[in-house]
Amino acid sequence: MAPTDRYEQLLRGAELRVTRPRLAVLHAVHEHPHADTDSILTAVRGDLPEVSHQAVYDSLNTLTSAGLVRRIQPRGTVARYESRVADNHHHVVCRGCGVIADVDCAVGHTPCLTAADDHGFVIDEAEVIYWGLCPACTTASDNPSGKG
């Protein structure tokens, strides 16, 4: 199935109108995981040069509300968007360059959804963010002169 057909199915399945901006935003989010709004706007304008900032913002909000896109915002960063939804995965963020990668739950199906004390809540999602240095930044910090 072609990506556009798949995106149309996703929109219809969420009972959303299929529009060119929504299709372009879905495509951009799928092609650029953890992208910020400006990066998504740039990618969308590659397909739809006339699209407005507002149309992209509105599409991101609609797609997020419908559960087709996930919005994450690690502390001290701008909002990022990803297409990996409904599986309760987590993220690792580089303190050096800001790159973000997905991290599956450590053990079992969703162990992080079993809180020591849930205070009567019915928990359906947990947000865990690991922080550190990516391999490139670790190498750079180990060799600050850049010489091998």
Side-chain angles (χ1 to χ4, degrees):
M1 177 183 309
T4 301
D5 294 338
R6 186 167 44 105
Y7 302 146
E8 286 178 8
Q9 272 188 339
L10 287 171
L11 290 169
R12 288 189 179 104
E15 299 182 0
L16 295 175
R17 262 184 338 112
V18 176
T19 66
R20 289 181 68 210
R22 287 179 183 166
L23 288 170
V25 168
L26 259 179
H27 178 73
V29 172
H30 278 262
E31 292 296 311
H32 307 282
H34 309 122
D36 62 20
T37 307
D38 288 339
S39 299
I40 293 169
L41 177 62
T42 299
V44 168
R45 283 190 171 158
D47 294 331
L48 294 174
E50 72 282 359
V51 75
S52 68
H53 279 84
Q54 194 61 50
V56 171
Y57 290 127
D58 291 347
S59 294
L60 284 168
N61 286 331
T62 299
L63 296 171
T64 300
S65 294
L68 299 178
V69 167
R70 182 177 176 193
R71 179 184 186 274
I72 62 169
Q73 189 167 5
R75 181 186 71 245
T77 70
V78 297
R80 309 284 183 126
Y81 296 88
E82 64 181 349
S83 59
R84 187 175 169 186
V85 297
D87 70 348
N88 198 53
H89 70 281
H90 308 301
H91 298 95
V92 59
V93 181
C94 180
R95 292 184 191 278
C97 66
V99 70
I100 299 173
D102 291 335
V103 176
D104 292 325
C105 279
V107 178
H109 179 61
T110 53
C112 53
L113 294 183
T114 305
D117 182 356
D118 64 17
H119 299 278
F121 284 66
V122 177
I123 298 173
D124 61 13
E125 183 178 358
E127 189 171 304
V128 175
I129 299 177
Y130 301 95
W131 293 86
L133 291 177
C134 70
C137 290
T138 299
T139 301
S141 69
D142 289 345
N143 189 7
S145 68
K147 297 179 183 175

